[in-house]
Amino acid sequence: MRYIRNTLVMPGNNPSMLLKSISYGADSLILDLEDAVSPNEKDAARRLLVAHLKFLDWGDTQVIVRVNPMDTEMFMKDMEAVLPLGITAVTVPKVESAEQIREVERIVAQYEPKDCPPTEIIPVIETPLGVLRAEEIACASQRNCAITLGAADYTSAIGAQRSEGGQEFFFARAMVVNACAIAGIMAMDTPCMELDDMDVIYRDSLNSRRLGFSCKVCINPRQIPMVNAAFTPDQAEIEWAKRILVARDENEAKGIGVYAVDGKMVDRPVVLRAEKVMSMANAFGLTK
Amino acid sequence: MAKLMRPAQAGTMESNDIMIMLTPLEEPCVEIELDSNVIYQFGDQIRQVMLDTLKEQQVENVRVDAVDKGALDITVRARLLTALERAGYEIKEGQE
């Protein structure tokens, strides 16, 4: 999966939203068969989503489908319906163990088309047990490309009240970011529940990035510009990264491992951060 | 010929959707009653999609009442197939 800053959730049973979903400029879409679909409409949503996946030109948009949890009868029906269509990734809610991911991996390998890039897996961690096992879940499959933190279910399970800063699930955020760093995959942060106040959305997104998340789930297209602003390196960051990498090349040629740029010490971790900034800048077309 | 077991409904009255209600008929007969805000432009096409879908599925004893809100062909077809399933009909997936 390419670098993404945002992933927009669209309900799988709403034809109007499915049609419009491509036009919002999201880096990726999560077409949802789980929480956004009422229990008595799961069959209708699955059939409607499959029709739209086959019919629409999704262009460069990375298409992710959120299936129903593994302990429901809908799970296998969802997997059998969407995997043969060559989607970018399948995201599985309420994952609590590595065994579950290995089972998902087996099913994906069975049903994915053989003439498309491999379908990736995005476990959603949203329970206390899932948070504790974040590392084993993250490392359970080579197909894992990200982990999403679902704070709504998690905070409900631990009996916490949601706050703007999200300090009540800082532990879960840190566990997910840490696990994703170990596995070398993206960490997707839980969506901001605010829909109208752009400052709140921006602050929440900036907080996510500072904690180490790679991207953020959006639940409304209005959130995308704020999330992008927070997750896109600004020009000052890009110029800083360029200076670091130039200095790296010059100093490594001389066999020097530690040096100074802008009056600050540069060593391997700083270089890695600069490389990441430049990778993101390149991915989002910000470098000439 | 396949028989429907019970009345059924699928779809919504939301934009770009279609609400489809099926009623089993005793005699081999397909009746379609369509209400659409684009009936003059696309009424014939919507009816044809429904007729084609019913024919592919070999359904010959049904009354279809549909309220269209600007659904694409794929949505008409998906909603009709869902309604057929809910009516107790086993969909022939290979026909899709």
Side-chain angles (χ1 to χ4, degrees):
Chain A
M1 202 166 171
R2 298 190 310 263
Y3 266 122
I4 56 170
R5 298 161 290 186
N6 64 73
T7 182
L8 176 64
V9 180
M10 290 273 110
N13 198 35
N14 187 317
S16 179
M17 286 187 170
L18 287 173
L19 289 174
K20 289 177 191 162
S21 61
I22 312 168
S23 64
Y24 293 126
D27 292 340
S28 65
L29 295 169
I30 295 177
L31 307 178
D32 190 17
L33 294 174
E34 197 215 7
D35 285 349
V37 178
S38 68
N40 57 352
E41 291 295 328
K42 299 288 187 184
D43 57 339
R46 189 182 307 114
R47 195 171 283 286
L48 186 77
L49 179 58
V50 166
H52 281 75
L53 285 170
K54 285 179 179 172
F55 175 77
L56 294 184
D57 179 359
W58 297 90
D60 284 339
T61 307
Q62 302 189 90
V63 177
I64 303 160
V65 175
R66 181 161 73 165
V67 295
N68 283 285
M70 296 181 76
D71 60 355
T72 66
E73 63 176 22
M74 286 89 72
F75 171 72
M76 270 313 296
K77 291 179 180 173
D78 293 345
M79 296 288 271
E80 288 172 6
V82 302
L83 287 173
L85 303 176
I87 56 176
T88 307
V90 61
T91 184
V92 182
K94 297 179 180 61
V95 173
E96 293 190 316
S97 71
E99 288 74 26
Q100 286 178 308
I101 289 304
R102 286 192 278 273
E103 174 65 5
V104 172
E105 184 179 47
R106 187 191 63 73
I107 297 165
V108 168
Q110 182 180 350
Y111 288 99
E112 70 179 351
K114 303 307 170 203
D115 55 350
C116 290
T119 303
E120 297 180 300
I121 300 169
I122 304 175
V124 185
I125 289 184
E126 48 193 333
T127 66
L129 188 57
V131 167
L132 272 184
R133 292 176 173 167
E135 184 211 337
E136 70 170 74
I137 292 167
C139 298
S141 170
Q142 291 293 314
R143 288 180 185 264
N144 279 351
C145 64
I147 282 184
T148 304
L149 174 64
D153 284 279
Y154 176 73
T155 50
S156 172
I158 63 170
Q161 282 192 331
R162 294 291 295 272
S163 67
E164 190 184 308
Q167 59 264 41
E168 66 279 5
F169 60 98
F170 173 76
F171 172 70
R173 276 176 154 163
M175 288 289 280
V176 166
V177 166
N178 195 60
C180 289
I182 292 168
I185 60 179
M186 289 186 287
M188 290 185 178
D189 199 15
T190 194
C192 177
M193 303 314 283
E194 175 61 44
L195 300 181
D196 295 321
D197 189 329
M198 295 297 134
D199 287 341
V200 170
I201 298 166
Y202 178 70
R203 281 200 304 274
D204 187 62
S205 304
L206 206 55
N207 183 42
S208 300
R209 186 179 173 204
R210 285 173 176 159
L211 288 172
F213 283 95
S214 328
C215 55
K216 196 163 177 72
V217 176
C218 296
I219 51 174
N220 188 294
R222 288 201 296 276
Q223 295 180 324
I224 292 175
M226 294 299 105
V227 170
N228 282 357
F231 279 93
T232 306
D234 61 25
Q235 207 52 45
E237 260 183 295
I238 295 169
E239 293 306 322
W240 167 83
K242 284 179 179 172
R243 289 196 299 278
I244 297 289
L245 297 182
V246 167
R248 173 201 62 187
D249 292 345
E250 289 173 357
N251 285 282
E252 280 186 0
K254 297 176 198 163
I256 301 171
V258 180
Y259 36 91
V261 172
D262 300 339
K264 290 182 179 151
M265 188 189 85
V266 174
D267 57 4
R268 187 69 189 147
V270 177
V271 169
L272 290 175
R273 190 152 61 88
E275 287 175 346
K276 188 171 181 184
V277 168
M278 289 310 294
S279 294
M280 291 168 70
N282 288 328
F284 303 134
L286 301 173
T287 51
K288 297 282 185 288
Chain B
M1 183 187 85
K3 285 204 72 169
L4 302 190
M5 308 303 289
R6 54 185 172 268
Q9 175 178 306
T12 72
M13 303 283 270
E14 300 290 319
S15 172
N16 297 128
D17 208 344
I18 185 169
M19 173 79 87
I20 291 178
M21 286 143 284
L22 303 182
T23 310
L25 299 177
E26 288 303 316
E27 299 300 314
C29 176
V30 172
E31 298 173 8
I32 295 178
E33 184 66 35
L34 174 66
D35 178 17
S36 171
N37 49 7
V38 289
I39 197 152
Y40 296 113
Q41 295 89 351
F42 297 107
D44 289 345
Q45 187 174 334
I46 296 166
R47 277 195 193 87
Q48 195 58 53
V49 170
M50 291 195 278
L51 285 170
D52 289 346
T53 305
L54 292 169
K55 187 177 178 186
E56 286 166 12
Q57 295 295 325
Q58 300 172 333
V59 176
E60 298 175 0
N61 65 316
V62 67
R63 174 184 167 87
V64 182
D65 288 281
V67 182
D68 169 60
K69 295 292 181 182
L72 293 183
D73 290 0
I74 53 167
T75 300
V76 175
R77 183 178 170 77
R79 295 312 196 192
L80 180 52
L81 289 171
T82 299
L84 287 170
E85 264 186 323
R86 290 175 176 181
Y89 179 79
E90 192 172 337
I91 299 297
K92 298 170 180 63
E93 299 288 350
Q95 304 296 316
E96 287 185 83

